[in-house]
Amino acid sequence: MKRLSGIKIISTAIGIMITSLASAHHPIHGKFDPAEAMQLSGIVTKVDWRSPHVHIFLNVTNNNQPVNWAIELENPSILVDNGWKEDSLEPGAAIIVAGMRARDGSRQIWGDSVTLSDSGRQVYSVSSKAPAKPLTGRPVPRWPSDNKPALGAGPGGIGGIWSYPSEKALVEDGVNISMNEYGLLDNIDDAARVAPMQDWALARYVHRQQRQLQDDPTYLNCKPPGGPRQYQSDLGLQLIEDKKNERIFVLLGSGNRNYRLIYLDGRDPSGQVGGDDDNPLYYGRSTGNWEGDTLVVNTTGFNEDFWFTNGGLPHTNRLSMVEKFTRTDFDTLHYEVTIDDPGAYTRPWTASWELSWLGGKELPFSLCQHNRQ
Amino acid sequence: MYKGLIKGLSVIIGVVFLSFGALAQEGHPLKGSWIGEWSGNTTHGDFVLIVMDWNGEEVTGMINPGTDNMEIESVELDPTDWSVVISADGYTIDAMIENLELPSRALSGSWRSSNGRGDFEIVRQ
């Protein structure tokens, strides 16, 4: 931990505790080091309210000289969802910020908490809990043409997105493991229980965990959140059903506003069809069909250029996935994925979680701008 | 004359490879194309190219594909310390993976055969 006069630096233990209160799900550990917890007291000089991340500029007095620090916060849309506005904090305000310092040693920290010095009131705080759902489950909207469940707003419905995943990283169903919102294990000894990994894959997963996820290519190189990771982003996603052309667009709120296509027209799940060139890439090649009220999607053709989950579980180009999407009520989407990757795992395994419907909300405008390498 | 031409072409191919950044590879750490040197190798020259793949059970590959075509007979990876032993055509290479999480990770160590021994270092492309 750095020692800087005039700047309060709190213990790592307290920092980790505060971190657990935050709800950022971006791969920020590539830029900020959770082992470098620190606290700053100063005067706000500017609030830069823009995507992908809001910044507070703060003058901190150090040896009787003002030193300017940058405090990085969540995406504006997430802050808005939590009731905050650009002018919720104004220049001149005295604040205390707790967070983690940038790995490159520059005067930047990730703000886990921002507190007004005079009143002790928190600003720009974010909750990871989904909004409360109606006590009585609302019925699933259906398409009149085929009576299939609508995966989005449905006919005549208002728009919305799926967000607030109940799990933040892939873990085999039935395994109870404690980790933070970035997929960082609380206890590295739990690594082998996360999934049935081959020896090399387990060693690589442990290595990534021990490096606090700083090598995450989604941050370092703005790589898309391919595989199941796209359903564990706090920026949400939309499922747009193109009934006429028998396909579904998965529009992602994160990862440079990428999209993924799921074909329902019975085409071959491998190879090139009709000139499309979407494999082998970050989202693979997906074909699906309805089994009752569940959309079952098979995907192959992944490259190996990305992490397919928060937390850094490895995969190879032998990965194939079977995903099951079931809208259990109007406000809930149950997502289940079976991972079959004989290049990295000893057997197929399954993970599942739920996403919540945020009616009337559009995908936030978020573009990855890190691209440091 | 012929050997010199081959060697020259290999160097040119290597320079072309090296002029591009390494492709990301977040899967098996040995998979990919590697270029570097096994210094003091009077039989095949100092310059070496190795291509390796992972089929889920074993690492396969070839040394100096297109010129010497030495098929890799076995690769032992110990993930506890990321040490690697490569056996091919009478050669044994003992090396360690360095900078594991970088696309341009390295394999650094030594080579030996009945004809000699020396330092070994290749970098993933």
Side-chain angles (χ1 to χ4, degrees):
Chain A
M1 183 174 289
K2 305 285 187 297
R3 287 192 173 277
L4 298 172
S5 61
I7 298 172
K8 298 178 193 173
I9 302 177
I10 59 175
S11 70
T12 299
I14 294 174
I16 290 171
M17 183 181 73
I18 292 172
T19 301
S20 69
L21 299 174
S23 68
H25 309 142
H26 315 296
I28 64 167
H29 288 179
K31 183 175 181 180
F32 299 97
D33 187 350
E36 290 280 347
M38 65 187 305
Q39 180 171 301
L40 299 171
S41 299
I43 305 297
V44 175
T45 59
K46 182 179 176 58
V47 175
D48 188 22
W49 187 270
R50 71 181 68 210
S51 184
H53 291 280
V54 170
H55 285 81
I56 301 171
F57 293 95
L58 187 69
N59 270 356
V60 177
T61 301
N62 187 24
N63 292 330
N64 295 320
Q65 294 293 319
V67 176
N68 198 238
W69 282 74
I71 318 301
E72 188 166 328
L73 302 173
E74 283 289 1
N75 185 278
S77 71
I78 293 175
L79 294 175
V80 168
D81 285 348
N82 284 268
W84 301 110
K85 298 184 292 186
E86 182 173 3
D87 60 2
S88 297
L89 183 66
E90 295 187 332
I95 60 171
I96 301 169
V97 180
M100 48 185 148
R101 188 165 187 182
R103 291 185 183 279
D104 64 5
S106 60
R107 292 199 298 270
Q108 297 182 72
I109 69 171
W110 175 266
D112 287 320
S113 73
V114 179
T115 308
L116 295 174
S117 301
D118 54 357
S119 65
R121 187 169 67 89
Q122 281 212 349
V123 290
Y124 295 153
S125 56
V126 171
S127 171
S128 61
K129 289 184 178 176
K133 295 175 183 174
L135 291 176
T136 304
R138 297 189 287 174
V140 175
R142 293 180 180 273
W143 293 101
S145 56
D146 57 10
N147 202 36
K148 296 296 184 192
L151 295 174
I158 59 171
I161 67 171
W162 294 104
S163 190
Y164 291 98
S166 57
E167 298 290 339
K168 305 304 188 298
L170 275 182
V171 177
E172 185 170 25
D173 279 351
V175 177
N176 186 19
I177 286 178
S178 179
M179 61 176 64
N180 74 5
E181 60 269 37
Y182 309 103
L184 189 63
L185 297 171
D186 290 346
N187 182 354
I188 195 65
D189 293 338
D190 285 335
R193 297 173 54 227
V194 172
M197 287 171 267
Q198 294 184 15
D199 289 346
W200 74 266
L202 174 59
R204 196 155 193 199
Y205 176 62
V206 168
H207 187 257
R208 289 170 176 172
Q209 288 276 326
Q210 289 173 331
R211 288 172 57 80
Q212 308 278 339
L213 312 179
Q214 65 178 286
D215 306 298
D216 189 343
T218 297
Y219 170 75
L220 291 177
N221 308 100
C222 293
K223 295 288 186 180
R229 192 172 188 175
Q230 62 200 265
Y231 303 104
Q232 294 178 320
S233 162
D234 57 344
L235 293 177
L237 61 104
Q238 279 183 321
L239 299 170
I240 306 297
E241 294 172 271
D242 179 4
K243 289 283 188 181
K244 180 181 176 184
N245 294 299
E246 297 182 276
R247 60 189 178 178
I248 296 172
F249 288 85
V250 183
L251 309 183
L252 307 178
S254 61
N256 286 333
R257 304 196 106 192
N258 300 147
Y259 69 92
R260 166 194 177 195
L261 273 169
I262 299 171
Y263 299 105
L264 306 180
D265 57 5
R267 69 179 59 190
D268 191 319
S270 62
Q272 304 290 331
V273 177
D276 60 295
D277 57 355
D278 59 346
N279 66 317
L281 288 173
Y282 299 95
Y283 301 109
R285 181 183 182 82
S286 300
T287 57
N289 63 281
W290 286 94
E291 294 182 3
D293 282 351
T294 296
L295 175 68
V296 180
V297 179
N298 291 276
T299 306
T300 58
F302 291 99
N303 68 35
E304 299 181 2
D305 295 356
F306 64 101
W307 289 8
F308 80 146
T309 176
N310 299 325
L313 284 178
H315 73 277
T316 72
N317 60 2
R318 303 187 74 193
L319 169 66
S320 64
M321 299 191 319
V322 178
E323 298 167 285
K324 295 182 178 179
F325 300 79
T326 309
R327 192 168 189 171
T328 54
D329 60 39
F330 190 96
D331 298 287
T332 308
L333 182 68
H334 182 78
Y335 175 81
E336 177 187 298
V337 59
T338 297
I339 305 295
D340 187 2
D341 182 355
Y345 299 91
T346 58
R347 57 175 168 78
W349 55 284
T350 299
S352 60
W353 56 90
E354 292 183 343
L355 294 116
S356 295
W357 177 251
L358 302 182
K361 183 171 171 55
E362 295 294 333
L363 285 176
F365 187 81
S366 175
L367 293 174
C368 179
Q369 296 179 344
H370 302 300
N371 243 345
R372 300 192 309 173
Q373 292 183 346
Chain B
M1 173 74 180
Y2 180 68
K3 269 194 170 180
L5 181 63
I6 297 290
K7 193 171 181 179
L9 281 173
S10 299
V11 171
I12 291 169
I13 292 169
V15 168
V16 170
F17 266 110
L18 288 169
S19 65
F20 294 99
L23 294 172
Q25 214 296 102
E26 305 293 342
H28 194 283
L30 291 177
K31 181 177 174 178
S33 300
W34 304 71
I35 294 176
E37 290 190 354
W38 41 9
S39 57
N41 189 329
T42 55
T43 307
H44 292 100
D46 287 341
F47 190 77
V48 63
L49 291 91
I50 299 182
V51 178
M52 288 186 275
D53 198 5
W54 167 248
N55 63 14
E57 295 179 353
E58 61 179 351
V59 176
T60 58
M62 189 167 282
I63 298 176
N64 287 346
T67 53
D68 302 312
N69 291 326
M70 291 179 278
E71 192 165 335
I72 290 175
E73 291 146 12
S74 70
V75 175
E76 297 170 29
L77 168 66
D78 182 351
T80 60
D81 61 0
W82 300 108
S83 59
V84 179
V85 180
I86 301 172
S87 301
D89 202 33
Y91 287 96
T92 300
I93 297 165
D94 288 290
M96 303 283 288
I97 300 178
E98 297 175 353
N99 298 320
L100 174 68
E101 294 300 336
L102 291 181
S104 56
R105 63 187 70 99
L107 263 177
S108 182
S110 62
W111 67 271
R112 66 180 186 277
S113 75
S114 58
N115 294 325
R117 61 181 58 230
D119 292 338
F120 177 89
E121 180 162 326
I122 55 177
V123 175
R124 191 180 169 280
Q125 305 304 301

